[in-house]
Amino acid sequence: MTVDGSAPITELKLDRKDFVSDQEVRWCPGCGDYSILAQVQKVVPTLGIPRENFVFVSGIGCSSRFPYYMNTYGFHSIHGRAPAVATGVKLANPHLSVWVITGDGDGLSIGGNHLIHAIRRNIDINIILFNNRIYGLTKGQYSPTSDFGKKTKSTPYGSIDQPINPLCVAIASEATFVARSIDIDTQHLTMVLERAARHKGISFVEVYQNCNIFNDGAFAHFTDRQFRSDRVLYLEHGKPMTFGKDLQKGIRLNNLNPEVVELGRDYSPEDLLVHDEAGAQPTLAYLLTRMHYPDFPVPMGVFRCVETREYSDLLTEQIEEVSRKEGKGNLDSLLAGDETWVIEEEGAILESVSGRERPGEDEESYHPANNLDAHEEPKCAIRRSVLNDRIGEVRPDPPIIASPADSIQSAIERMARERRGAVCVVENDELVGIFTERDVLMRVALKGLDLEKTPISSVMTSNPITLKADATLAYALNQMAVAGFRHLPLMDGKKAVGMVSVKDVVRYMSENMAG
Amino acid sequence: MELAETLKKELVRHLPLPDPIVLTEETPISEAIQKMQEAGRGCILVARDGRLIGLVTERDILVKYLGQPGKTFFTLREIMTTDPKKLSPDASLEKAIQAMSEGGYRHIPLVDQENQICGVVAVRNIVNYIAEHFPTEVFNLPPRLEQKMESPEGA
């Protein structure tokens, strides 16, 4: 997808909240889909595309509920057919930013055929494939990407199918943008999604996504933060392939085979394979898709990114060229042309379909492998604190309260005098906004405003994200790490009773570290 | 390994830190603010010959530059914090956290023994690092937190 210049891009003041819909999100607690949703909602406002130009199309599956949760246009379409629907949407209006959200079942099993054809056409859509290597919605059967030997509901003695490697399929279908990321590696995922969005032509992104109910920990052995630097290879165009905490290891090519080497005595960075996402041949990208843990670190990032002619452009050009040569077409004359005929006989009567079986009686066979409530009490003090402690216990400072009409100058002076980083803007006892020192830097400094006369209402963030006293630290961390907020008002009903800063949270955790 | 143990062992330089914005003390404040706005960053390191001599944060912009309307400031020298709290890139995360919570700092410059600038660590980097240890509980949450499902629903 490209950032289309169709609409005059005045400054679009969109942020993540604009893309959060009012729908109740119905994924299981702890599902990796939440993290991917959060990153997509973070990336799309940065693309300079009006909100009404986004369309999210999905098929069937857990991930396919995605369009409901995006405050954009969307289709929850037919199983496996999202690429076809998305192709139609894009061709009908090439100015739209069209995204396909699919899973390993929807995209590679029933929809495998649609997937490869959308890819080979190089139509300018973004396909995000959530790969959790299991059928989650149907409660735990093996999927086309489940490992060989994997025991599931439908492979009780272990799968004897060889799994599909989605990136190999994409490369074999001549995808012009191929990438992989991890649901919980939020910064990397954001980068990959943004690059996918900005690529003109098909973008195919595989996201390793944890299904914590039916396939928990499928990727944890290399995605866990403590192993990640030694077991994941972050690809960077033009850079030698190094990995490890101190980048002390690398990938070298030995004939046609990659191998892991230690840098230092025998090898230097010059001996290593250099990543080239734009090579004439997709050979290197393909080779990388074949690297698996534990023999290799698992590659993440953009495997391939090349430019070729895009499908909707080609179609538009063809229509224009043919219209110029042969004149504007006429649908009626086409329909009434030589290639039509009439069937004289009565058609056969369709047999009525009846006796539909009742839904399976063994619906009870639903044993969440991992009920979050059933976790034993965590042993690590910080973990316990993050999961159980309530934000009220952090005891944040009471807020500085200002009214929307107060001048920017007065707010700045109060923040300076009272040594605080944010002001709660309150009207009729209700919180209506928040004004922080980040806003001072980004929206006030050098902007030529008359600080004495301009009200804070014109530079504050309206309807900010807030916390209730009984929210856990994990919630606060979510807003700080995912959305990037450093100040969150603590609420009692509609009244702001505190201001939680990122410093408060770190201080609180450091106190707990000792305890 | 318990996270508390990990924080003792993990080094600050292992965090994914962006390159710092480094300017000289003669830089006009307006130019520095522009750089901060473009990069969306809250902190500037002030250097002489690559050696750290000061730190300017958005807090300084607020408190000194905008917070005292009677006064006029021109260059970073006038608003920077001289000789700020520093750490070695080989300091542990635990040490960085302690320094941040004791001194109330949000940014700590990283320098080597010769005081050459190696980077800057922000409280945000620490929070992200800690959050990454609890991905299910921290990242995998719905966009509006009150929506959290209490039990597996299937989609």
Side-chain angles (χ1 to χ4, degrees), chain A residues 70-105:
Chain A
M70 292 297 294
N71 197 10
T72 62
Y73 289 109
F75 291 93
H76 188 180
S77 78
I78 311 165
H79 205 352
R81 272 61 182 168
V85 174
T87 299
V89 170
K90 183 71 188 178
L91 292 182
N93 184 353
H95 295 317
L96 298 176
S97 173
V98 183
W99 298 62
V100 167
I101 304 295
T102 185
D104 41 321

Side-chain angles (χ1 to χ4, degrees), chain B residues 124-139:
Chain B
R124 169 181 305 239
N125 305 126
I126 305 268
V127 164
N128 287 348
Y129 180 82
I130 293 174
E132 285 181 319
H133 285 80
F134 312 107
T136 303
E137 297 83 359
V138 173
F139 293 130

